[in-house]
C-alpha cells in the first residue's frame, strides 16, 4: 500500500488483470471508464463485494487512483472499504479477485463476503 491514508488500493497483479479485462470488454482505450467497487448485503458473512466497469460518476462517489487505475465507490461502501487493497490470485488454491480489507472482523472461506 502507499503512504496515503483513507483510500482504496490495487496490487500490481490486480491492476494487470483489470487492464486485461478492460481490453477484453473493448474499454481499454476509453479513458472515461473506471473500476467501480461496492459493498452489498448478502453472502455467507453478511456483506459482499461487487465490481464493475462504469463510466458514470455520481455526485457522492468517492474516487481514488492507484497505479494508474481509477477506482470509484459510493460513500456508504467506502465506509467499509477504507484502506482496502484489491488483490488478484491465479494460484491453485483459488483464482480471482479478493479484497485485503483491514476493516473486516471476519470473512468467509470463499473470500467474497465479510462482516464488520
Amino acid at each position: 500500500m502507499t503512504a496515503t491514508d483513507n483510500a482504496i488500493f490495487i496490487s500490481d497483479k490486480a491492476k494487470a488483470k483489470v487492464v486485461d479485462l478492460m481490453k477484453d470488454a473493448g474499454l481499454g482505450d476509453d479513458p472515461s471508464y473506471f473500476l467501480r467497487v461496492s459493498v452489498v448485503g448478502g453472502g455467507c458473512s453478511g456483506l459482499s463485494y461487487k465490481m464493475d466497469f462504469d463510466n458514470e460518476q455520481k455526485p457522492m462517489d468517492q474516487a481514488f487512483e492507484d497505479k494508474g487505475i481509477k477506482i470509484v465507490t459510493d460513500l456508504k461502501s467506502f465506509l467499509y472499504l477504507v484502506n482496502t487493497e484489491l488483490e488478484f490470485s491465479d494460484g491453485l488454491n483459488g483464482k480471482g479477485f479478493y479484497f485485503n480489507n483491514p476493516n473486516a472482523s471476519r470473512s468467509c472461506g470463499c473470500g467474497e463476503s465479510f462482516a464488520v
Side-chain angles (χ1 to χ4, degrees), residues 37 49-51 81 84-87 97-101 111:
V37 180
Y49 301 106
K50 183 179 174 190
M51 292 184 349
L81 295 171
T84 293
E85 184 172 33
L86 176 60
E87 307 252 8
F97 289 101
Y98 65 96
F99 291 84
N100 183 3
N101 188 341

Side-chain angles (χ1 to χ4, degrees), residues 11-99:
S11 71
D12 289 331
K13 254 187 167 175
K15 174 193 172 182
K17 190 62 177 176
V18 166
V19 168
D20 286 348
L21 289 171
M22 287 185 88
K23 284 180 187 170
D24 291 349
L27 308 174
D29 295 327
D30 189 339
S32 69
Y33 278 87
F34 51 83
L35 180 65
R36 179 173 290 281
V37 180
S38 55
V39 173
V40 294
C44 42
S45 292
L47 297 168
S48 295
Y49 301 106
K50 183 179 174 190
M51 292 184 349
D52 278 311
F53 296 122
D54 195 354
N55 65 348
E56 194 174 310
Q57 200 167 325
K58 296 169 183 65
M60 293 299 288
D61 280 347
Q62 305 295 300
F64 308 94
E65 190 165 319
D66 190 34
K67 297 180 177 72
I69 300 293
K70 184 176 180 181
I71 304 166
V72 176
T73 187
D74 61 90
L75 187 56
K76 183 178 175 188
S77 294
F78 178 63
L79 298 175
Y80 295 108
L81 295 171
V82 173
N83 296 325
T84 293
E85 184 172 33
L86 176 60
E87 307 252 8
F88 183 79
S89 173
D90 53 9
L92 295 174
N93 291 337
K95 192 172 189 172
F97 289 101
Y98 65 96
F99 291 84

Side-chain angles (χ1 to χ4, degrees), residues 44-47 49 98-101 103-116:
C44 42
S45 292
L47 297 168
Y49 301 106
Y98 65 96
F99 291 84
N100 183 3
N101 188 341
N103 307 300
S105 62
R106 70 178 191 276
S107 59
C108 65
C110 65
E112 294 177 10
S113 70
F114 68 102
V116 289

